Amino acid sequence: MRIDFISMSVTTFIQRRFHFGQLPFLTFLVACLLCAIIYLQLQRVKQQHQTINQRVDFLRHREDSAFEKTQDFIKRNQEHYKMVIYEEKFCPHNGSCDLIKPFIHYESRQMLAPSYGVSACVIYKNFSTVLTSIICYLYDILRYQEKVKEMMKDTYNHRLCMKDNEYHSFNIRDRMTPKTAEKWTNYLIVREPLERFISGFVNKCILDVVNRDKPCYGCDENITCVMEKQYQSLKTMSNNNKAARKHTVEDAHFGPQSWHCELRAHYLDYKILQYSPAKTEELLEELLTDFEEFGVPLSVTDDIREQVLGGKTFHATFDTPERIHYTKVVEESPYLKELLVKMFYYDYVFFDFPLPVLEIDKTSDS
C-alpha cells in the first residue's frame, strides 16, 4: 500500500509539472524511481528477516547451551550424591573401609619417544598393545617402517621396541631432553572400569587359559568367583602389605587403574584420555592431532591412522558374545555391582566415569 501511494503521488506530480510530450521520458524516469524504491524496501525487509533469524539462532543456541549446562550440572550433582552415599555405606568408620585404596604403587610401564617429547604409560586392556606400538613407531620411524609390516602384529610378546624405549619409572624423563619439543607430553589412557574388567575377564579367563596354572584363581568362567577372589587379593595388597604385591596376570589386568603409572606422585603430570573400543577413532584423532603439532610427519600419522582403523588387535574382545553376556550378568546383579564399586570406586572418581547405580541409592533415612 505504501509503495502504491508513493507511485501515484510521483506520477501525479510529474503530470502537473511537465508537458504531455515529455511523458515517455518521464514514464521511464518514474519506472526507475519505483524500481529503486521497491529495491530499497526489499533490502530492508531482507535485512529485517536476517536480523530476526540471527536473533532466533542466538536464542536457540543460548537455550541449547543453557540446557547442556543444566544437564551437566545435574549429572555432576548426581555423581556427588552417589559419592557421598557410597562412602557412607562402605566406609562407615575411620579405619574401616571396604573401598580399595587408590594410588598403591603396583606397576609403571613407561614408553618414550624422545624425538618428539611424547611418552605414554600403558595399562593393560587400555589400548595398551596399539599404544605401545605407536610410541615405538615414533621412537624410531625408519626402523619401524623397515621391520614392522603390519602394526596389528606388533604385539606384546613380539614387539619391536621391547626394552628399547621402555622404562619402569616416570623420573626417567629427567635424564632425557626432547629433541623437537619444549617439554614432555605424557599420555595416560583410561577406561570405564566395568568395560575394562569384562575385557580382561573374557581375555584371561575364557580365551587365553592355555599353559597357565589355575588361571583366574581356578574359578574357570565363574565371574562371581573371580570378582570375589580379586577383591580379596586387592584388599590384601592395599593394606600396606608390600610382600603381597607380586605381579600376576590377574592383578595386572583386573587391578585398579589408579595403581599404575605412579599416579600418587604424577597424577597431574599426565594428559588423561578416556578410551572405549567403540570410540577408538576419536581417541586416535586426538593423539594424532597432537603428534602432528609436535612435528611428526603427516605420512607417519596417516599410516598409523590407516593401520589402526583398518584392523583389530588379535585379542580384542569388545564385540564378542561373551563380553555382552558377562556385562549383563554384572549389571543385573546388585551383589556384583557392589563388588565392582568396592574394587574400582576411585577409578570412577579420579578418571571421571559415572558410578554405577546401586540399590542403596533408593534408600532414605527413616
Side-chain angles (χ1 to χ4, degrees), residues 168-218:
H168 296 283
S169 171
F170 185 94
N171 294 330
I172 190 66
R173 294 160 180 76
D174 296 339
R175 295 158 51 185
M176 301 181 185
T177 302
K179 294 180 180 179
T180 61
E182 295 182 0
K183 61 180 182 178
W184 287 97
T185 300
N186 312 303
Y187 292 96
L188 177 67
I189 309 300
V190 296
R191 190 172 181 180
E192 196 280 327
L194 174 58
E195 184 180 279
R196 177 176 180 262
F197 181 84
I198 295 298
S199 177
F201 174 80
V202 171
N203 179 215
K204 296 303 177 184
C205 302
I206 298 177
L207 303 180
D208 182 21
V209 295
V210 180
N211 299 324
R212 290 172 55 206
D213 183 31
K214 293 184 178 180
C216 297
Y217 307 103

Side-chain angles (χ1 to χ4, degrees), residues 55 73 86 113 182 190 213 216-217 224 230 234 243 303 311 335:
R55 181 64 178 170
F73 177 76
Y86 293 176
E182 295 182 0
V190 296
D213 183 31
C216 297
Y217 307 103
T224 300
Q230 187 61 56
L234 297 176
D303 187 30
Y335 173 67

Side-chain angles (χ1 to χ4, degrees), residues 137 140-149 299-300 303:
Y137 199 158
D140 191 337
I141 291 175
L142 294 179
R143 178 169 172 249
Y144 189 95
Q145 291 176 337
E146 178 186 354
K147 298 291 185 180
V148 180
K149 302 306 178 183
S299 59
V300 173
D303 187 30

Side-chain angles (χ1 to χ4, degrees), residues 265-306:
H266 298 290
Y267 178 82
L268 298 177
D269 294 320
Y270 287 103
K271 181 174 183 177
I272 300 176
L273 303 177
Q274 293 184 348
Y275 163 70
S276 172
K279 297 183 178 180
T280 298
E281 185 172 359
E282 295 176 20
L283 170 65
L284 188 64
E285 286 303 322
E286 184 165 0
L287 288 171
L288 297 183
T289 298
D290 284 355
F291 294 168
E292 289 167 5
E293 291 180 359
F294 302 152
V296 177
L298 290 176
S299 59
V300 173
T301 56
D302 286 344
D303 187 30
I304 293 172
R305 182 181 292 106
E306 181 179 350

